Amino acid sequence: MRPSSLALHNNNFKTNHTLSSSCRRVPLPCTSRSRALHRSSRTPLDETCVAPLRCSSGGSLGDDDDTTSSLVTTGSPNVLVVGAGPVGTTAACLLSDRLGPSASVTILERRSDPTRMDDASRMSARLYPMALNERSFDALARARLEDIQGGHKLRGFAVLTKEGRVKQFNLPGQDEDKRILIDWVTWTSNLITLARQKHPRINFQFDTPLRPSAFDVDAQTVTLDNGTVMKYDLLVGADGANSVARTALYGDACTKVLYDGTNVGYRILQGVDPSYLTNDMLRAIYDNDDNTARIFRCGSKKTSIVLFRSCVDPSRIDAMYTGTVALLSDATAYSETVHAIEGLPHSVALAIAASNAANAHNPPSSFGQVRWMREFGKGHVALVGDAAHSVTSSLGQGATTGLGSAVALADAINTDDIAGSVSAYSASRAPQAHALQRMEVLNAYATSGWRNPNASKLWSVIARAASTLGLIGGLLLSRVNSGVRHSTLFHGLIDPSITLRDLENQFLKCISLGVFVLAILTSCLCMLARARMNAALL
């Protein structure tokens, strides 16, 4: 997982972000009437639900049955989830609820348990900022994992102008409890702790690395390094962009790279002295509130600096600085680049340059690639998250979309026909994830393609033009059409009431309207120029 445009708990700064239980969707009884009602009452989050709830016993669940939230199974299905990150843990919890108490759900994770990391390990861990939004919390509520401890309410963004002035922007909507700025370690630790409390049947196995050769897809087994053979009825690959589960199922050449951001990287500086920042910058970041925060951005054509409130120590400010891998690997060149940022306090530039120089011998973390797959699983193996549809952090939607895929898989699963359920999940979820990937590619080219040596400069120019036209069209369309609620692509991404496919179609309409407006303006200018030429000739 990479930083998404955008745990030690400090007892004085804990926040408890909880959704009401009314947000949780309870499957309907297995009757033909309820199936129709189920289809008609889906929310956009549930558009990926493709199979009505079926009972493998052949009967139906009564309205007063206590087990209406799960499938009734005659057997004891074994589920293996590879990856204990946020998407893998959420998928395991959803499947545990869906399949009921007879199911055995085990999570295999190559890393150590993040909930048992000491302070020193946390300080050197993956503390990059992640921004959770309404889509994220809707999915987490389905898994009963919404009670996140730590993090800060994300009020919006702030930017530093060339003149040194600070401009602030608020996120749309009113529900700030569902917009959280949190780091990867804190969030992952939260989810694992909640999973152990609310889903005690799930078995976590950490420090369990796997290789593609460990998987026998035909026999439906996974062989661990210690020789233990684990049988599965359903294998869920949630092990990231370099998924071994995906490689075992499809081989190495199963994905197509739509955008390559591996030549652009980032590093984290933990603990920027607040006295280095101006009062305006501090007010923007802290937002004058103990529990809220803004993401502060500044930069140049070669580098971007993101300042954010630390989730490990809320009184501390951390920085994420980006650039090409070649630039970050050259301490002298990067120092000159960061000092050239107009408006950035000299002391902040010194701290960031010193941090980069101290880590120049280590390669920076990469922003990754947008990898496209035709299908998200087959047989008894399903892929979710970056294993199925990896993105960069351009739009900050990688984890959120992965959570949506976990929900889709749990809704589709049917123990009578697991292979058919996996195919149905893939057929319904792939169009949604592919829509996000296309929007991600456009945004990545528009915002950072000119900085990326792997990106076509022509496509970057085209993407920038399309984004500008889309903004113009969105501003106009949102004022004349009540059905278009969001003037920008980003605002639509954090609204769970609109599906990703519909959002993509809406954005294309905005671009088309922008092109139309540009054509009219161009025609008017041409007519005006011709009139002036004729007048001059006369």
Side-chain angles (χ1 to χ4, degrees):
M1 189 178 297
R2 292 168 302 281
S4 300
S5 105
L6 289 173
L8 289 180
H9 306 310
N10 185 307
N11 293 329
N12 296 325
F13 291 90
K14 274 189 180 180
T15 53
N16 186 1
H17 312 294
T18 307
L19 291 180
S20 67
S21 59
S22 61
C23 297
R24 300 169 186 156
R25 177 171 166 268
V26 178
L28 295 170
C30 299
T31 64
S32 58
R33 180 174 178 272
S34 70
R35 290 188 184 115
L37 179 60
H38 174 78
R39 287 190 295 268
S40 65
S41 62
R42 290 177 187 159
T43 65
L45 177 64
D46 300 323
E47 181 178 303
T48 54
C49 309
V50 295
L53 189 61
R54 293 175 58 189
C55 310
S56 61
S57 60
S60 63
L61 299 175
D63 291 339
D64 57 350
D65 197 308
D66 291 336
T67 61
T68 54
S69 62
S70 62
L71 289 170
V72 175
T73 60
T74 55
S76 300
N78 293 321
V79 179
L80 292 183
V81 178
V82 183
V87 175
T89 300
T90 302
C93 294
L94 288 164
L95 289 168
S96 179
D97 280 348
R98 173 72 168 170
L99 298 175
S102 65
S104 170
V105 180
T106 300
I107 302 179
L108 306 176
E109 170 57 48
R110 63 182 177 85
R111 298 185 182 92
S112 299
D113 187 347
T115 65
R116 299 178 180 176
M117 296 172 64
D118 56 29
D119 293 354
S121 298
R122 287 183 182 278
M123 291 300 291
S124 61
R126 310 169 78 187
L127 295 177
Y128 53 69
M130 302 184 68
L132 308 183
N133 56 44
E134 286 89 333
R135 288 184 190 268
S136 313
F137 274 89
D138 279 8
L140 292 173
R142 290 282 304 276
R144 297 185 284 135
L145 300 175
E146 72 274 25
D147 304 327
I148 296 178
Q149 301 289 325
H152 312 292
K153 298 177 183 178
L154 182 58
R155 185 69 56 83
F157 302 88
V159 297
L160 182 67
T161 66
K162 293 181 179 180
E163 295 77 20
R165 294 196 301 267
V166 176
K167 290 187 177 181
Q168 300 183 16
F169 303 91
N170 292 331
L171 290 172
Q174 302 296 324
D175 199 345
E176 293 181 351
D177 287 339
K178 297 183 184 179
R179 295 197 298 268
I180 305 300
L181 181 66
I182 195 168
D183 66 80
W184 188 91
V185 172
T186 301
W187 185 31
T188 303
S189 299
N190 265 236
L191 294 181
I192 292 173
T193 300
L194 287 171
R196 285 170 169 158
Q197 294 171 354
K198 299 186 177 183
H199 305 268
R201 297 191 306 272
I202 296 178
N203 176 34
F204 287 86
Q205 292 191 25
F206 292 96
D207 299 303
T208 308
L210 297 172
R211 294 180 294 273
S213 59
F215 298 83
D216 189 331
V217 177
D218 295 329
Q220 295 174 213
T221 61
V222 175
T223 303
L224 307 185
D225 285 348
N226 61 9
T228 302
V229 178
M230 305 186 72
K231 179 76 174 178
Y232 64 82
D233 298 295
L234 173 65
L235 176 70
V236 180
D239 48 338
N242 298 314
S243 169
V244 293
R246 181 187 65 216
T247 301
L249 181 63
Y250 291 103
D252 293 322
C254 59
T255 62
K256 178 180 179 181
V257 177
L258 302 183
Y259 180 85
D260 188 358
T262 54
N263 275 353
V264 179
Y266 68 92
R267 287 196 173 106
I268 301 292
L269 167 59
Q270 299 176 29
V272 177
D273 190 334
S275 65
Y276 292 169
L277 278 63
T278 66
N279 290 333
D280 287 344
M281 294 171 70
L282 288 173
R283 280 194 292 268
I285 294 172
Y286 284 98
D287 201 47
N288 298 317
D289 193 305
D290 286 343
N291 295 325
T292 62
R294 291 178 188 272
I295 296 176
F296 187 93
R297 299 190 64 177
C298 60
S300 64
K301 289 184 177 181
K302 293 184 178 182
T303 185
S304 293
I305 310 296
V306 178
L307 300 172
F308 57 96
R309 193 175 182 180
S310 170
C311 296
V312 176
D313 180 0
S315 64
R316 191 184 76 194
I317 294 176
D318 292 345
M320 181 174 74
Y321 49 98
T322 70
T324 63
V325 172
L327 178 62
L328 291 173
S329 300
D330 188 333
T332 302
Y334 188 76
S335 177
E336 295 174 354
T337 299
V338 73
H339 278 91
I341 297 176
E342 297 183 24
L344 183 67
H346 180 68
S347 52
V348 176
L350 279 175
I352 292 175
S355 169
N356 184 67
N359 293 280
H361 58 283
N362 294 321
S365 300
S366 167
F367 279 103
Q369 301 171 320
V370 179
R371 294 184 181 180
W372 181 91
M373 286 190 70
R374 184 178 302 277
E375 60 183 14
F376 296 168
K378 62 182 178 180
H380 289 248
V381 182
L383 304 174
V384 295
D386 282 349
H389 42 75
S390 68
V391 294
T392 71
S393 62
S394 172
L395 290 174
Q397 298 298 308
T400 297
T401 307
L403 295 177
S405 295
V407 171
L409 175 61
D411 284 338
I413 207 67
N414 169 22
T415 53
D416 283 345
D417 183 10
I418 289 182
S421 300
V422 171
S423 296
Y425 151 72
S426 176
S428 65
R429 185 58 182 171
Q432 298 291 329
H434 290 163
L436 175 73
Q437 287 183 311
R438 288 189 291 268
M439 291 185 283
E440 167 81 24
V441 169
L442 175 65
N443 192 71
Y445 271 112
T447 57
S448 60
W450 42 268
R451 188 189 303 162
N452 183 359
N454 292 340
S456 165
K457 298 303 180 285
L458 175 60
W459 278 113
S460 297
V461 172
I462 294 174
R464 279 197 167 191
S467 296
T468 303
L469 293 172
L471 177 61
I472 295 172
L475 291 172
L476 294 174
L477 202 58
S478 61
R479 283 162 174 72
V480 300
N481 186 348
S482 59
V484 178
R485 298 185 301 277
H486 306 289
S487 59
T488 67
L489 176 61
F490 179 77
H491 290 171
L493 284 170
I494 65 176
D495 182 359
S497 66
I498 182 171
T499 68
L500 295 174
R501 283 288 299 277
D502 289 344
L503 180 62
E504 180 189 33
N505 291 333
Q506 176 181 298
F507 187 56
L508 292 175
K509 291 178 182 178
C510 293
I511 294 176
S512 299
L513 180 59
V515 172
F516 179 71
V517 171
L518 179 62
I520 292 178
L521 291 176
T522 303
S523 298
C524 292
L525 290 175
C526 289
M527 292 174 62
L528 179 61
R530 179 177 294 180
R532 287 185 175 181
M533 290 178 61
N534 291 336
L537 291 174
L538 294 176

